[in-house]
């Protein structure tokens, strides 16, 4: 499981897609999401957004 | 029962009607009868790591990565006067290592236990009652703990006959120490151990300045492949006596659950979910009013993982989404989300969001 930044319009709150091992996204979140914060605190970095 | 009428003291109801716990909303547990399952509608949930898994609403399941595996499911196996339970089945057995923990937990919001006065000299006694049914017999364990996980009270209960509903009651003197939140954070965590290692197990029947999830030497459900464990009628009330279960109306129980999780479910006729407008030729934004104000602003949006489960109506026609819905800036009473389609819309165009039978949108504000 990884998180990936989503490309957004300028000024919008950054959101992230959680990509599961099957390659699908079942959840998007803000940086306030507790599980996302735990993942980042564990030393992980979200993948950049695709242009 | 005695009814006394006095010109001095007014009307006094003696015996059971005199109990502080007799009247409605005495139960601090939400969905104690296991009737609500917004996420799965009775489907099996596999618990194979340390994460937030939910079968029945409000009862979180947690396991261990690369070790034992169990499933949780809303079941129709239930004792008299109940229709549902939470069923646990061990699918891959394991002996818990010292710091491993497999458990069911309901974190109770601080607002809902504020009157217990825990952490003060006026701490009230509570009674936890529930009904259990298991393929195993023995002494099982659980605990109550605080938000900071530095105060806990392990307890035990006995199941002496396998595959028979057994009523359990555990009375606990309120904790006069520690910090117990009385806001929208975790007030009390109520744990039911399914296999807890020695580091997270403590002496039953006493408050401890540590985090214990269960009692020392309690029976481990996860250690027996195929073992089953059912629980329902979970009630936590003020006082030293377990009273009859507070069976609330379904709509009330659902609303109580929706403070922590809300899900929209689609149907075959693609019901209209929300009206919005296009912010580009490919993206449409929607704002959706929640039926219940959530505990906190939801920070994640769950969906089915399949873009074509979601459909957009625009300009007299419609199109399936080309990527899955995404969360927008939300609040406790309203949530925002976006649909993305191929470049078919005009900027500012009015649109309607729909979802098919497999589609859903779920927002969580669980503790």
């Amino acid at each position: 499981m990884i998180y990936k930044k989503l490309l957004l319009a300028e000024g919008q709150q950054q959101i992230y897609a959680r990509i599961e091992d099957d390659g699908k996204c079942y959840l998007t979140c803000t940086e306030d999401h507790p599980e996302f914060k735990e993942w980042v605190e564990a030393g992980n970095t979200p993948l950049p957004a695709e242009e | 029962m005695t009814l006394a009428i006095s010109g001095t003291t007014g009307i006094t109801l003696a015996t059971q009607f005199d109990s502080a716990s007799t009247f409605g909303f005495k139960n601090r547990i939400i969905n104690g009868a296991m009737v609500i399952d917004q996420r799965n509608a009775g489907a099996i949930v596999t618990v194979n790591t340390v994460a937030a898994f939910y079968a029945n609403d409000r009862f979180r399941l947690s396991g261990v990565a690369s070790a034992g595996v169990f499933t949780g499911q809303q079941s129709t196996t239930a004792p008299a006067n109940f229709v549902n339970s939470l069923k646990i089945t061990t699918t891959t057995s394991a002996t818990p290592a010292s710091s491993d923990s497999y458990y069911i937990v309901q974190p109770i919001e601080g607002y809902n236990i504020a009157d217990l006065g825990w952490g003060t000299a006026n701490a009230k006694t509570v009674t936890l009652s529930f009904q259990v049914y298991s393929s195993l017999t023995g002494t099982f364990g659980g605990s109550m703990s605080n938000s900071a996980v530095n105060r806990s009270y392990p307890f035990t209960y006995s199941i002496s006959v396998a595959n028979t509903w057994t009523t359990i009651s555990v009375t606990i003197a309120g904790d006069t120490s520690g910090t117990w939140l009385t806001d929208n954070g975790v007030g009390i965590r109520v744990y039911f151990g399914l296999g807890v290692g020695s580091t997270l197990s403590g002496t039953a029947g006493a408050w401890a300045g540590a985090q214990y999830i269960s009692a020392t030497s309690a029976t481990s459900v996860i250690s027996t492949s195929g073992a089953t464990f059912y629980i329902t009628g979970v009630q936590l009330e003020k006082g030293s006596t377990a009273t009859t279960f507070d069976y609330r109306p379904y709509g009330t129980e659902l609303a109580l659950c929706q403070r922590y999780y809300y899900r929209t479910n689609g149907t075959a006729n693609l019901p209209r979910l929300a009206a919005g407008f296009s912010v580009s030729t490919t993206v449409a934004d929607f704002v959706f009013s929640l039926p219940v104000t959530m505990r906190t602003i939801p920070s994640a949006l769950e969906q089915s993982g399949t873009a074509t489960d979601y459909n957009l109506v625009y300009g007299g026609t419609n199109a399936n989404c080309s990527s899955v819905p995404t969360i927008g800036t939300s609040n406790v009473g309203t949530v925002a989300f976006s649909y993305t389609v191929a470049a078919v819309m005009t900027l500012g165009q009015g649109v309607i969001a729909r979802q098919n039978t497999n589609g859903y949108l779920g927002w969580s504000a669980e503790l």
Side-chain angles (χ1 to χ4, degrees), chain B residues 336-352:
Chain B
F337 61 94
S338 300
Y339 273 17
T340 301
V341 295
V344 293
M345 297 180 288
T346 56
L347 188 62
Q349 186 173 22
V351 293
I352 291 174

Side-chain angles (χ1 to χ4, degrees), chain A residues 13 24-26 28-30 33, chain B residues 299 301 303-306 327 329:
Chain A
Q13 180 183 22
K24 297 178 81 170
C25 169
Y26 300 92
T28 56
C29 66
T30 68
H33 187 50
Chain B
S299 56
L301 170 64
Q303 33 70 30
S304 69
T306 300
I327 191 170
T329 303

Side-chain angles (χ1 to χ4, degrees), chain B residues 255-267:
Chain B
L256 292 173
C257 291
Q258 288 174 337
R259 176 168 173 78
Y260 306 91
Y261 184 83
Y262 177 71
R263 173 178 288 208
T264 67
N265 287 307
T267 60

Side-chain angles (χ1 to χ4, degrees), chain B residues 283-304:
Chain B
V283 177
D285 281 359
F286 301 90
V287 177
F288 183 91
S289 291
L290 295 165
V292 174
T293 299
M294 299 195 91
R295 181 188 66 86
T296 187
I297 297 171
S299 56
L301 170 64
E302 303 169 1
Q303 33 70 30
S304 69

Side-chain angles (χ1 to χ4, degrees), chain B residues 141-228:
Chain B
S143 84
M144 291 193 196
S145 79
N146 67 351
S147 177
V149 294
N150 56 13
R151 296 292 299 170
S152 59
Y153 185 102
F155 61 81
T156 59
Y157 59 95
S158 178
I159 300 177
S160 56
V161 182
N163 299 323
T164 301
W165 284 103
T166 304
T167 301
I168 306 294
S169 172
V170 179
T171 296
I172 298 173
D175 189 11
T176 55
S177 300
T179 299
W180 296 84
L181 299 184
T182 56
D183 57 16
N184 68 343
V186 174
I188 299 173
R189 288 189 183 88
V190 180
Y191 289 100
F192 300 92
L194 301 171
V196 179
S198 57
T199 303
L200 294 168
S201 298
T203 302
W207 284 106
Q211 168 68 345
Y212 294 132
I213 288 173
S214 188
T216 303
S217 302
T219 299
S220 172
V221 176
I222 198 69
S223 297
T224 301
S225 182
T228 54

Side-chain angles (χ1 to χ4, degrees), chain B residues 10 16 26 35 50 77 92 120 134 155 169 216 234 243 293 325 354:
Chain B
Q16 67 178 26
K26 62 187 177 183
V35 294
V50 183
T77 297
T92 303
T120 76
S134 178
F155 61 81
S169 172
T216 303
V234 185
T243 63
T293 299
R354 306 191 297 181

